[in-house]
Amino acid sequence: MNYFIASRARFTLLILACTIYATGAAAESLPLVSDLEAAAKIAREQRAPLLVAFTLKRCPYCNTARREYWAPLNGSAQWRGKVVMVELMVDGAPDLRDFEGKPITARDFARRHAVRSVPTVIVFDGDGIPAARPLVGLVSADFYGAYLEQAIEAGLAKTRAAENAVDVK
């Protein structure tokens, strides 16, 4: 039965990805997340970190980061399969499931992770533990992309180190 559920989930994600690609939405935004447990599961399956971009609907800095950094990075062949990227609108839909599958509001989840301003990016490992220092605000355009890549690399290193520790046992 678990195989059926996993196969159906993969099929649904494939359809979503094809729809996003066909409509060009991938170039405009990240997928909005409502179930962090499911997103973390996908990250674990891909052996990749989970990047969560905390935003507000009417935040001009979030729009800039989304358009100029996150969406291009998410669509980049360089990072494909190396990171799972999602957006969490703090003022969005209140129904959210945390990494343990428990219901929580987006605002409470953001508070839990000390998100006080947006945009904030946190890279988590597949267990929902922060794997890098949060990237708060839209810092210098000259360095923001590099800071994002450093955070993802730190998440990859932590994810792979945890895998290697399990393999050794």
Side-chain angles (χ1 to χ4, degrees):
M1 182 165 160
N2 288 338
Y3 175 77
F4 175 74
I5 292 170
S7 295
R8 186 171 180 176
R10 286 188 187 107
F11 178 74
T12 302
L13 287 172
L14 177 64
I15 296 298
L16 176 63
C18 290
T19 303
I20 289 171
Y21 178 77
T23 61
E28 298 171 9
S29 63
L30 299 177
L32 293 175
V33 68
S34 60
D35 188 341
L36 289 161
E37 181 182 38
K41 182 179 180 195
I42 292 167
R44 282 191 306 274
E45 288 173 356
Q46 292 184 11
R47 300 173 35 207
L50 174 66
L51 182 149
V52 179
F54 293 82
T55 63
L56 292 172
K57 289 178 187 173
R58 299 190 192 278
C59 166
Y61 301 107
C62 299
N63 292 334
T64 299
R66 186 182 299 116
R67 181 182 62 251
E68 295 182 18
Y69 299 99
W70 305 335
L73 192 75
N74 193 39
S76 164
Q78 174 187 356
W79 295 104
R80 191 168 296 124
K82 294 182 181 177
V83 63
V84 175
M85 298 178 68
V86 295
E87 181 175 349
L88 177 64
M89 283 196 182
V90 178
D91 60 345
D95 297 331
L96 177 69
R97 294 215 174 269
D98 67 10
F99 289 113
E100 296 173 352
K102 296 177 183 173
I104 189 170
T105 66
R107 286 185 190 277
D108 286 341
F109 184 79
R111 278 189 207 110
R112 180 187 293 174
H113 292 282
V115 174
R116 292 184 176 84
S117 62
V118 293
T120 292
V121 170
I122 301 178
V123 176
F124 295 93
D125 67 11
D127 295 320
I129 299 169
R133 293 182 60 166
L135 184 54
V136 180
L138 184 59
V139 292
S140 170
D142 293 335
F143 299 106
Y144 190 76
Y147 294 150
L148 278 172
E149 290 181 7
Q150 286 175 353
I152 294 168
E153 288 289 348
L156 274 168
K158 183 175 180 188
T159 300
R160 296 200 173 138
E163 282 178 8
N164 292 336
V166 170
D167 290 342
V168 171
K169 291 182 182 177

